[in-house]
Amino acid sequence: GQAVLYKKFIYIVMNKPAGVLSASADKTRETVVDLVPEGLKRKGLFPVGRLDRDTTGLLIITDDGDFAHRVLSPQKNIFKTYIAELDGDITEQTLDTFSREITLADGTVCRRAYLKRLGKRTAEIKICEGKYHQIKRMLGVAGLGVNELKRTAIGGYSLPDFLQSGECAEVSKNDLIPVFSNSD
């Protein structure tokens, strides 16, 4: 005799805190799915892509595999935007390094990324791939280390201002349409 609201899929945006794994489950460490409030939890939730354990910012959690595949597919060229606090100054050489493909120390070739200087040691970086520690490794080629890294946008969808670190909110699939448009 009670009304039941059925949703085929759920979409959650999170402001991921540092120290939490971008995974559905882990036997010893806290994951982003562990942070989802009980009222939003359901079977099959997973993060769309990964953020390194110490990286913060925008993360989408869903149970919609097709949506996740579309966001993560390199063919879709969806840029992810990050703000990086660096351990050294951004030079003209740094900007030049990011103006073309970068070959990492292990020979991995990364597609062209975009780096915009926001301050002496602060940069906005846009990438459309998601290789292991990619931004840190790319900056390493330029001789810089990363002190802090925060994802601020996926495509044209930005981290909501109202979400504090560790908080999340349910959004509709329509709210996430800007993910598929780049903000360039």
Side-chain angles (χ1 to χ4, degrees):
Q2 292 183 347
V4 175
L5 180 62
Y6 171 76
K7 296 176 198 168
K8 186 173 182 180
F9 299 114
I10 190 168
Y11 305 90
I12 300 165
V13 293
M14 174 180 282
N15 187 349
K16 180 193 167 297
V20 177
L21 295 181
S22 289
S24 298
D26 189 271
K27 292 181 184 199
T28 60
R29 295 176 286 185
E30 186 174 44
T31 71
V32 293
V33 173
D34 294 333
L35 298 180
V36 174
E38 287 303 320
L40 296 178
K41 279 190 180 177
R42 62 197 284 183
K43 188 175 180 179
L45 285 179
F46 61 92
V48 178
R50 295 186 180 269
L51 289 177
D52 297 341
R53 189 170 166 192
D54 57 343
T55 300
T56 62
L58 179 60
L59 188 65
I60 300 170
I61 299 171
T62 188
D63 53 358
D64 184 346
D66 181 59
F67 172 83
H69 176 73
R70 288 177 45 226
V71 172
L72 298 174
S73 173
Q75 290 78 22
K76 299 292 184 187
N77 289 318
I78 296 174
F79 281 86
K80 287 79 176 174
T81 305
Y82 298 80
I83 302 296
E85 298 293 333
L86 309 172
D87 67 356
D89 295 348
I90 301 165
T91 64
E92 290 304 315
Q93 181 181 356
T94 310
L95 298 172
D96 182 57
T97 298
F98 273 79
S99 69
R100 57 190 184 292
E101 288 183 343
I102 295 177
T103 302
L104 304 177
D106 66 358
T108 301
V109 178
C110 296
R111 293 165 78 178
R112 182 171 183 243
Y114 297 90
L115 185 142
K116 180 169 128 183
R117 186 178 8 216
L118 300 178
K120 195 173 180 180
R121 293 183 171 200
T122 305
E124 177 184 82
I125 300 166
K126 294 184 180 196
I127 61 172
C128 66
E129 298 175 291
K131 297 181 183 342
Y132 179 74
H133 292 293
Q134 182 174 343
I135 290 177
K136 293 174 185 176
R137 294 167 66 202
M138 291 172 84
L139 285 162
V141 169
L144 294 169
V146 177
N147 293 332
E148 289 182 38
L149 188 60
K150 179 177 186 173
R151 181 159 59 195
T152 58
I154 300 173
Y157 184 85
S158 296
L159 177 66
D161 291 335
F162 64 85
L163 283 181
Q164 299 300 309
S165 180
E167 291 183 342
C168 59
E170 183 179 4
V171 295
S172 72
K173 190 172 185 178
N174 285 341
D175 291 333
L176 294 174
I177 288 172
V179 163
F180 300 102
S181 67
N182 283 312
S183 55
D184 288 345

